[in-house]
Amino acid sequence: MADKIVLKAERYKNYNMDELTLKLSEAASRAEAGTVAGASGALACAMALRLANGLLSGDPENERYKYLVKNIDSLRTYMSVLMDQDIRCRAPMVKAIRENRPVEELDACLHPASEITEEIVGMMNVLLDFLIEMSGKLAFSDISVIQASLESAMAAVRISGAWINYLSDLSTEETFKFVMRREYEITYGEITEKYNKITETVGSYGR
């Protein structure tokens, strides 16, 4: 199955899953935690899109289901864009660290790097809204699909949180450090509430 799964990323857009994971394993790979978060987010969106497509196939004229399919698919492709941007914005940061550039230059590089990762978290927050909407409309056979989407989304969020903490540790700007971590904490709290709500709904199936 590995040769049938393709995730887009800079230089890796034509790679299958086996090739992408091999590239990630290289010591000098440009891909990092942000790339992994984006890939996990893309998988979460793919499984959510599968649910939306299933709903639409059962009611082809339902405008809301069409909306879900369109917007979840947009999130899926956006994850590939964010993976690409994450790699690009990291290059100046790595250079600044390697060349021991002034702290002001490093701090300037950290801002875009953190923003990309925060965007991944924000998009997973949106995805969970869609999962909440669909969670009460699914068949028992869909449980494993929504669980896969939900857990992949949470993995993307938690990986992003670890990366955000790493970036904040590199910064010398106390305000930036506080804001970056605090924004993640707030969004993570919202996401956790949604995660619990979906888990409760899905857990009621078959009772």
Side-chain angles (χ1 to χ4, degrees), residues 52-207:
N53 279 326
L55 291 174
L56 183 60
S57 67
D59 189 359
E61 302 305 316
N62 190 303
E63 292 300 322
R64 184 59 187 177
Y65 293 165
K66 292 179 182 178
Y67 173 88
L68 289 172
V69 168
K70 178 180 178 181
N71 283 273
I72 295 173
D73 192 41
S74 293
L75 286 178
R76 181 186 63 82
T77 56
Y78 188 37
M79 287 298 105
S80 299
V81 173
L82 292 177
M83 289 168 66
D84 176 40
Q85 292 179 349
D86 179 73
I87 293 174
R88 288 180 180 177
C89 73
R90 184 178 303 108
M93 181 187 76
V94 172
K95 182 179 179 181
I97 295 173
R98 184 177 63 246
E99 298 180 357
N100 196 26
R101 304 298 296 172
V103 292
E104 294 82 6
E105 290 188 24
L106 176 58
D107 281 327
C109 297
L110 294 175
H111 287 253
S114 66
E115 288 170 0
I116 297 301
T117 313
E118 288 169 353
E119 182 73 354
I120 293 173
V121 175
M123 292 304 98
M124 291 300 97
N125 198 11
V126 173
L127 180 66
L128 262 65
D129 285 330
F130 292 142
L131 290 179
I132 287 174
E133 181 175 347
M134 294 188 291
S135 63
K137 304 174 182 179
L138 304 177
F140 182 77
S141 58
D142 294 321
I143 289 179
S144 63
V145 179
I146 192 170
Q147 287 175 330
S149 177
L150 182 60
E151 296 302 333
S152 295
M154 292 304 295
V157 170
R158 291 175 180 133
I159 294 167
S160 296
W163 183 241
I164 287 171
N165 284 334
Y166 170 76
L167 294 176
S168 66
D169 286 339
L170 291 176
S171 178
T172 61
E173 298 180 13
E174 292 303 321
T175 300
F176 173 67
K177 293 161 73 84
F178 172 80
V179 171
M180 185 163 48
R181 288 178 171 176
R182 185 56 183 156
E183 286 183 351
Y184 174 78
E185 289 172 359
I186 292 172
T187 307
Y188 185 78
E190 296 173 358
I191 290 173
T192 300
E193 290 182 3
K194 294 175 184 179
Y195 173 89
N196 292 336
K197 183 174 183 178
I198 297 167
T199 300
E200 182 178 357
T201 300
V202 172
S204 66
Y205 279 63
R207 289 179 183 172

